[in-house]
Amino acid sequence: MIGDLNARLGNQPPGEDLIIGPHTFGRRAAQTVEVPNRDLLLDFCESNALLVANTFLRGLPEEKATYFKPGATYIGPVSEQEYNMLDFILCDASALNSCSELASIREAAFGTNHYLVKSVFTFD
């Protein structure tokens, strides 16, 4: 499953390591709503035995960022104040082992504040 899920994950807290990997990027959203998108995403993943693939693969901040705030330069220096990871690839653990590449393409942000996310999965 691939999509703009608008969940600001932040760092991986204890107990979420089966869903969120150690390679996150961005800050967690300030909770201003009753049920934050982050919580909804975690519930969905847990209910469907999925994990957030973007967070299990290493990558530079430039490859992890999938969104930039209005006013930030789409190709500027990446910082957690102006960039975040909001677009995710969700898969089960067996599919994650088949993923050899997963990164945002910063040059492909035309008319949006989101970057294209490229992934390569190889299944036998």
Side-chain angles (χ1 to χ4, degrees):
M1 175 182 245
I2 301 170
D4 171 11
L5 302 175
N6 281 335
R8 296 173 187 265
L9 298 178
N11 292 330
Q12 173 204 66
E16 295 179 354
D17 55 328
L18 296 178
I19 298 172
I20 299 174
H23 306 291
T24 61
F25 177 80
R27 298 185 300 180
R28 187 184 269 193
Q31 295 187 2
T32 58
V33 296
E34 188 174 327
V35 182
N37 287 351
R38 183 185 194 282
D39 294 350
L40 294 170
L41 175 62
L42 291 174
D43 287 346
F44 179 80
C45 287
E46 187 173 17
S47 298
N48 294 283
L50 298 172
L51 49 83
V52 182
N54 310 50
T55 65
F56 283 89
L57 301 170
R58 293 180 188 264
L60 300 171
E62 292 80 8
E63 299 169 328
K64 291 288 185 181
T66 66
Y67 169 82
F68 61 96
K69 287 176 22 178
T73 306
Y74 82 96
I75 203 73
V78 173
S79 70
E80 289 189 344
Q81 288 73 34
E82 298 198 351
Y83 297 80
N84 214 312
M85 184 189 314
L86 301 182
D87 304 273
F88 302 108
I89 295 181
L90 308 180
C91 64
D92 63 22
S94 64
L96 180 63
N97 294 330
S98 301
C99 184
S100 61
E101 182 180 344
L102 200 160
S104 62
I105 309 298
R106 296 179 66 212
E107 295 78 18
F110 303 109
T112 179
N113 287 62
H114 293 263
Y115 301 121
L116 178 68
V117 178
K118 176 186 176 186
S119 62
V120 176
F121 287 82
T122 305
F123 298 98
D124 294 330

